[in-house]
Amino acid sequence: MRIQVRNFNLRYTLECGQFFRYTPHGDGYIVQVRDSVLWLAQHKDALTVKGSSRAYVRRLLRLDDDIHAIEQALSGDMTIIRLMRQYPGLRLMRQDPWECLVSYVCSAAANIPKIRGNIQALAQAFGKPIKYNGETHYTFPPPGSLSCAETIRACKTGYRTPYVCRINEMVNDAALRRIGKLPYEQAVERLMQLPGVGRKIADCVLLFSLDHDEAFPIDTRIRGIMRKLYFRNKTVSDSRIRQFAEQRFGAYAGYAQQYLYVYAGQR
DNA sequence: ATCCAGGGGGATT
DNA sequence: AATCCCCATGGA
């Protein structure tokens, strides 16, 4: 199945650090989300999809986002505009909220290869096997199923293990959807009530799975590049950075953040 | 506010 | 082979 796309780049979108369950395969990628396994490849403005529907992929990759409106909204900042031209087609994704939450709780004080290992191991230990193209993949376990602490710990989640365990009994898909519908600050507050979820992880979940494009996750990489670009390398608190981002980038601060993140990453 | 434990992985010695 | 460093959160 094919989808015509515009202003979209699959590689930038999958590899920019927001999403963990993809593997290069052939001239495309195998992508896993909750219970789905699909294969995606891009040639020019044609996206080829196997194993999923057009509607599902449009939703996952936010193909209906109005890039021009986003560019317009961020046009007050030449750095961001330049980065949007440098990485054309880099989109935020709309991940599964539960899988995104668990992934980012595991991400605390970790790095991308380690997080990928955690998620893969959790899926293998708790998920259901599914065949795709003769290969066995594993679904991501639903809320309520991550209850055995020892098994979770064996997935090398370390001190995050009790967080995963408790979150597993504190939320479900419907609760996350409801949180996502709250105004941004209230949603942050609610997510931060979960153990192991601080401001950064709350912002990641809101941005990458719950359509809160105003969220601006601040990790060390973003902190560093923000200081360098906007604070003359001076030490500034996260709340100052957040305040600056809010007034400079506004409703699409999260998009700005993702461009800054890749930019800061490759040097 | 400031400090530091925590687990695992990578780099350095 | 031992040691150092990184890192988001939570608790002291």
Side-chain angles (χ1 to χ4, degrees):
Chain A
M1 195 259 292
R2 278 182 34 172
I3 304 178
Q4 284 301 122
V5 293
R6 287 185 62 191
N7 301 311
F8 178 78
N9 183 302
L10 182 63
R11 185 167 72 88
Y12 292 157
T13 299
L14 290 179
E15 297 187 6
C16 69
Q18 59 181 322
F19 177 69
F20 305 107
R21 292 188 92 196
Y22 66 89
T23 21
H25 190 276
D27 54 357
Y29 300 86
I30 289 192
V31 167
Q32 292 160 277
V33 182
R34 275 295 277 267
D35 296 338
S36 316
V37 180
L38 51 150
W39 180 84
L40 296 171
Q42 181 173 19
H43 300 282
K44 306 272 183 61
D45 277 349
L47 204 56
T48 308
V49 181
K50 288 179 183 162
S52 187
S53 72
R54 181 174 276 109
Y56 184 91
V57 171
R58 293 201 82 82
R59 189 171 162 71
L60 176 69
L61 301 177
R62 297 179 55 158
L63 294 176
D64 296 319
D65 280 14
D66 184 347
I67 291 297
H68 290 303
I70 295 166
E71 198 168 326
Q72 191 72 22
L74 295 171
S75 62
D77 189 294
M78 273 318 294
T79 304
I80 301 299
I81 294 302
R82 234 180 284 124
L83 290 175
M84 290 186 80
R85 306 251 155 93
Q86 190 176 340
Y87 306 102
L90 190 167
R91 303 263 181 138
L92 293 174
M93 289 176 63
R94 185 179 287 109
Q95 300 180 35
D96 173 78
W98 164 249
E99 181 171 345
C100 188
L101 173 63
V102 176
S103 300
Y104 277 92
V105 167
C106 291
S107 84
N111 50 52
I112 289 170
K114 179 175 184 299
I115 304 159
R116 295 170 65 104
N118 292 154
I119 303 309
Q120 173 59 27
L122 286 171
Q124 228 170 93
F126 294 94
K128 291 185 304 202
I130 33 171
K131 288 271 190 195
Y132 183 83
N133 253 6
E135 289 168 355
T136 303
H137 298 262
Y138 294 88
T139 62
F140 192 81
S145 61
L146 289 173
S147 47
C148 176
E150 301 85 71
T151 312
I152 296 170
R153 193 171 288 275
C155 299
K156 306 199 183 290
T157 47
Y159 57 83
R160 306 156 194 86
T161 301
Y163 301 153
V164 173
C165 250
R166 290 193 49 207
I167 285 172
N168 174 67
E169 53 196 32
M170 291 172 73
V171 296
N172 55 40
D173 292 319
L176 290 176
R177 268 200 310 276
R178 278 197 302 274
I179 291 173
K181 291 197 169 107
L182 293 171
Y184 172 62
E185 291 295 345
Q186 287 178 43
V188 168
E189 238 180 84
R190 288 290 304 280
L191 285 175
M192 285 180 65
Q193 288 169 2
L194 300 172
V197 180
R199 182 59 187 254
K200 192 267 179 183
I201 287 170
D203 277 333
C204 285
V205 173
L206 290 172
L207 182 61
F208 300 142
S209 73
L210 290 169
D211 292 320
H212 275 285
D213 293 348
E214 69 270 56
F216 191 85
I218 300 173
D219 68 345
T220 48
R221 190 191 284 191
I222 290 296
R223 209 171 280 129
I225 196 70
M226 288 298 287
R227 278 177 189 167
K228 183 173 157 156
L229 293 176
Y230 300 107
F231 294 93
R232 296 196 272 160
N233 270 332
K234 289 221 301 274
T235 303
V236 273
S237 67
D238 286 358
S239 62
R240 291 266 287 121
I241 296 175
R242 197 173 298 119
Q243 197 185 332
F244 176 90
E246 182 185 342
Q247 73 114 30
R248 169 74 64 115
F249 306 132
Y252 293 110
Y255 256 99
Q257 182 269 170
Q258 206 57 37
Y259 284 97
L260 290 165
Y261 187 84
V262 284
Y263 169 63
Q266 26 209 84
R267 291 157 326 113

